[in-house]
Amino acid sequence: MRKLSTFCRKWFSGLFFILALPVFAQELPSSVKYELELAGIPENSVGIVVEQVDSNVPRLTHNADIAFAPASTMKVLTTYAALELLGPSYTWETGAYISGKPEDGVLYGDLIIKGSGDPVFTQKELWLFIRQIQDAGVRDIRQEVLKHILDRSVFKTGPFDAAAFDAEPLKPYNAGPDALLLNEKKIDVRLVPNESENTVKVVFEPRLDGVKITPPLLSNGECGNWKKDIVLQFDDRHANFDGIYSSTCQEKIWSVLPYQMSNTRYFESVFSTLWKEAGGRFKGRFVDGTLPPEALKIAEWRSPELSSVVSTVNKHSNNVMARQLLLGIGHHEFGDNADESMGIKAIKNWLASKNISSGDLVIENGSGLSRLEKMSPLTMSRILKAAFHSPVMPELMSSFPIAGKDGTMSKRLKEDAIAGKAHIKTGAIDNVRAIAGYVLAKSGRRYIVVCMVNDPNAKLSRNMLNELLNWTYENN
């Protein structure tokens, strides 16, 4: 009788567990359907997976195995792969070398700067790096040949079309990768009207040595869409603002990508400015080349650790940094002259080692700023599940924007109960909106949530995506 009683208790306990399991949703939640209808988005334009991190039974799937454009949620894959393949403590080194021996602070030989693909090398880091070089005894560079070397050989260099994605080559998000990427090759242009002199003062940050600026003409009309009234043309020595700027606009700052200026010239111009500001003299120009074997290393700069870089990439959806990571993975796995194909091969090999099928996966540059990149919600959910059970889970999850708190989710769901309880990577390009990440539901269980919208009305899907997150939090 005692044995029968024990059996009954176990049977009823198992029955209760089965009844307590979430019921597999055959249809979209009514609140999600309602927001889709309001946005004019058909259900076949949406792919969804909601699944508990410790379960193989999805709570909700919809078009889960169809490949969609993922936009910037592609960065989930790139950053996770980087964390596992390179390691969270991975750093990049920028080295300074010389040929010849300095005499009383004067270098008559070449200065060589070798990059390794640092995604976060800025003018602040370059200034500190220059101080190291000067502290090593080089303050006056007088090479008669007047050529110094920038070694970018860790990445395969070639022409980059900043207009290819959306015909907006001045937009900083269209910057291309570079083994000696500096400031994401961005310039902040400050426009200051001076009515008393009938001129417009133009100031660049960072300062560009040897670049002549032709400012726009000053007008007194309405400010309006002032950027449309200026055609900005860059080359290696000249920045021409063709057009007008209204005094009623007052002071403005315009962040631009000087895409017509070569990467070599951009680096040289900023380097020369900072070198002189640090009290040194600089003669010559930089050319692309490779580090001579006899060169002497005199300084190095190390980047922050990868875990910190990944946080910047995901919270602020930085495209060129994600491109750098893809190439960095390729270089780590296959060596110098790495290109996108090497990074893609390394990631697909890594996925295969985790038994994650990549048949529906198309990677172009690893950032999601692409019309070619594709992934199914199901593949994304498998990646997120593997990541959750990975040793690098803390670094990856903490890099995702937190609902209502920071990054690209800082203004979403601020007043909802889910605020602070979801780590969500977002994605947005024309005709695409997407989310991918983790929700800590009211029940205390954690869920993977993936949703991809590919539709001309995708920009209207924000409320639907928010409602899906809220539904996951409240009903699971």
Side-chain angles (χ1 to χ4, degrees):
M1 189 69 178
R2 182 179 178 85
K3 290 183 178 179
L4 181 60
S5 177
T6 301
F7 172 81
C8 289
R9 283 199 303 270
K10 289 183 177 179
W11 188 86
F12 279 113
S13 175
L15 179 61
F16 175 80
F17 175 76
I18 292 170
L19 293 174
L21 281 173
V23 178
F24 180 76
Q26 299 296 326
E27 294 187 357
L28 294 177
S30 57
S31 57
V32 173
K33 290 182 70 171
Y34 175 74
E35 293 296 345
L36 275 178
E37 290 170 3
L38 279 183
I41 299 172
E43 291 185 16
N44 61 9
S45 295
V46 181
I48 297 174
V49 172
V50 178
E51 183 177 357
Q52 195 176 341
V53 294
D54 292 318
S55 170
N56 292 320
V57 180
R59 178 69 170 92
L60 172 65
T61 62
H62 178 79
N63 296 328
D65 57 353
I66 296 174
F68 289 82
S72 283
T73 60
M74 180 61 80
K75 294 180 177 74
V76 171
L77 172 60
T78 305
T79 54
Y80 174 32
L83 284 167
E84 281 215 345
L85 292 172
L86 305 180
S89 61
Y90 183 87
T91 59
W92 291 263
E93 176 190 317
T94 302
Y97 302 77
I98 56 173
S99 64
K101 188 176 180 181
E103 299 176 9
D104 297 323
V106 179
L107 176 66
Y108 293 96
D110 288 323
L111 175 68
I112 304 102
I113 308 294
K114 181 173 176 59
S116 63
D118 185 348
V120 290
F121 196 51
T122 69
Q123 67 169 330
K124 176 185 175 182
E125 283 73 33
L126 179 58
W127 182 81
L128 293 169
F129 183 46
I130 284 171
R131 291 292 296 269
Q132 288 184 18
I133 298 171
Q134 294 185 352
D135 288 346
V138 177
R139 299 188 65 82
D140 193 342
I141 299 176
R142 301 183 184 178
Q143 166 62 289
E144 294 300 325
V145 179
L146 304 179
K147 289 184 179 179
H148 308 289
I149 296 172
L150 297 181
D151 186 338
R152 296 184 160 90
S153 59
V154 298
F155 292 169
K156 186 175 182 179
T157 57
F160 179 80
D161 185 1
F165 174 69
D166 59 2
E168 293 280 2
L170 285 172
K171 299 287 190 181
Y173 60 72
N174 277 318
D178 181 4
L180 269 170
L181 184 70
L182 176 64
N183 285 332
E184 304 169 42
K185 200 184 175 183
K186 183 177 69 173
I187 298 173
D188 287 335
V189 179
R190 185 158 58 97
L191 298 156
V192 185
N194 187 329
E195 292 186 82
S196 64
E197 297 182 7
N198 198 34
T199 59
V200 180
K201 182 180 180 181
V202 179
V203 179
F204 287 164
E205 189 62 50
R207 307 293 199 267
L208 300 180
D209 187 35
V211 175
K212 179 183 177 182
I213 300 172
T214 301
L217 299 174
L218 186 66
S219 78
N220 58 4
E222 293 184 5
C223 186
N225 191 355
W226 56 274
K227 292 179 186 177
K228 296 294 184 182
D229 293 329
I230 299 173
V231 177
L232 177 52
Q233 294 282 342
F234 265 97
D235 59 31
D236 281 359
R237 299 287 171 180
H238 191 202
N240 182 52
F241 293 77
D242 187 16
I244 60 172
Y245 184 76
S246 174
S247 59
T248 61
C249 292
Q250 301 182 346
E251 183 176 323
K252 297 284 188 184
I253 294 180
W254 183 11
S255 293
V256 301
L257 171 67
Y259 69 99
Q260 293 151 318
M261 176 182 282
S262 69
N263 292 350
T264 300
R265 176 63 186 135
Y266 179 88
F267 189 98
E268 173 188 279
S269 185
V270 179
F271 182 93
S272 177
T273 298
L274 296 179
W275 183 271
K276 293 172 183 176
E277 287 179 354
R281 293 178 61 190
F282 182 82
K283 276 190 175 182
R285 61 190 180 88
F286 280 111
V287 296
D288 289 329
T290 55
L291 179 68
E294 71 278 4
L296 174 67
K297 186 176 184 179
I298 59 170
E300 70 173 32
W301 180 263
R302 286 208 169 267
S303 72
E305 293 186 345
L306 174 62
S307 56
S308 173
V309 175
V310 162
S311 182
T312 301
V313 172
N314 283 330
K315 285 193 182 292
H316 303 289
S317 210
N318 191 293
N319 294 300
V320 70
M321 290 184 187
R323 289 175 179 266
Q324 296 280 112
L325 292 184
L326 180 67
L327 291 173
I329 290 168
H331 174 255
H332 183 264
E333 296 295 305
F334 299 109
D336 282 359
N337 290 307
D339 61 12
E340 285 81 2
S341 67
M342 294 180 184
I344 294 165
K345 181 178 180 181
I347 287 178
K348 290 199 171 185
N349 288 345
W350 168 76
L351 287 173
S353 73
K354 294 179 170 296
N355 296 316
I356 298 175
S357 173
S358 60
D360 57 46
L361 177 64
V362 178
I363 306 172
E364 182 186 18
N365 56 50
S367 75
L369 193 71
S370 167
R371 300 295 177 192
L372 301 179
E373 292 191 325
K374 300 286 183 183
M375 185 190 302
S376 72
L378 186 59
T379 296
M380 178 65 83
S381 70
R382 289 170 177 165
I383 291 167
L384 286 166
K385 181 173 286 189
F388 187 81
H389 297 285
S390 162
V392 302
M393 179 273 285
E395 289 84 1
L396 183 68
M397 185 186 292
S398 65
S399 77
F400 292 173
I402 302 172
K405 300 296 182 181
D406 67 9
T408 57
M409 289 292 293
S410 62
K411 297 180 181 179
R412 296 172 66 168
L413 302 165
K414 289 174 69 73
E415 307 302 322
D416 296 65
I418 194 177
K421 300 178 181 68
H423 291 75
I424 302 295
K425 181 71 196 80
T426 61
I429 57 176
D430 285 349
N431 301 329
V432 179
R433 293 294 185 273
I435 55 172
Y438 306 99
V439 172
L440 182 62
K442 185 188 292 186
S443 64
R445 293 185 289 264
R446 197 176 297 274
Y447 283 81
I448 292 164
V449 179
V450 180
C451 184
M452 299 175 184
V453 183
N454 288 188
D455 190 82
N457 285 338
K459 64 183 179 181
L460 303 176
S461 66
R462 181 182 177 120
N463 288 343
M464 182 276 293
L465 295 170
N466 288 349
E467 187 53 44
L468 178 63
L469 292 171
N470 274 326
W471 174 85
T472 304
Y473 173 76
E474 295 287 349
N475 295 280
N476 295 283

